Amino acid sequence: QLQLVHSGGGLVQPGGSLRLSCAASGFTLDNYAIGWFRQPPGEEREGISCISTVGTANYVDSVKGRFTISRDNFKNTAYLQMNSLKPEDTAVYYCATVPVTDGYCSIVEYDMWGQGTQVTVSS
């Protein structure tokens, strides 16, 4: 079965940290760009970060300097390290992948999605 499996979501205090994992099953990530998206309550889903096949990363301004995207092709897993978390970071977080033939990434044009994991930032 081709799927992306999340782990690492949960409840964290403001200012705290959390690391999300996204493990690929049934395929290998070597030739895929990876994106992280989130959907806050009552809001539309938005892309927040992506990483290319060669490790080039992009971030939206709201998470830049606080979140770090990474990938480990040997473990077939992508990560999102979230630091200095704020209540407005509360959302369902999704990872996604798309096969690519270059070393770039964007937050659009993804065709495989994880089921999402809840992140709640609250005191």
Side-chain angles (χ1 to χ4, degrees):
Q1 183 179 16
L2 304 179
Q3 61 181 352
L4 297 169
V5 181
H6 290 100
S7 63
L11 176 66
V12 65
Q13 297 181 21
S17 297
L18 203 62
R19 188 178 76 161
L20 305 182
S21 298
C22 177
S25 178
F27 69 104
T28 57
L29 288 173
D30 301 56
N31 297 313
Y32 289 77
I34 302 166
W36 283 96
F37 298 75
R38 68 184 182 185
Q39 186 169 14
E43 302 292 331
E44 297 294 318
R45 185 173 63 190
E46 64 171 346
I48 57 173
S49 183
C50 68
I51 187 167
S52 76
T53 57
V54 296
T56 301
N58 295 303
Y59 304 89
V60 295
D61 288 342
S62 60
V63 308
K64 192 174 299 181
R66 300 189 298 121
F67 291 11
T68 303
I69 190 172
S70 62
R71 63 189 298 158
D72 187 336
N73 289 346
F74 294 100
K75 296 181 179 179
N76 213 29
T77 301
Y79 305 94
L80 185 68
Q81 178 68 45
M82 305 184 294
N83 299 325
S84 301
L85 283 162
K86 307 173 182 179
E88 52 262 46
D89 294 319
T90 295
V92 177
Y93 283 72
Y94 302 86
C95 66
T97 61
V98 62
V100 295
T101 57
D102 58 29
Y104 303 97
C105 78
S106 72
I107 56 173
V108 298
E109 304 295 338
Y110 288 84
D111 60 11
M112 182 174 293
W113 295 79
Q115 292 300 303
T117 186
Q118 178 70 47
V119 172
T120 302
V121 184
S122 176
S123 59

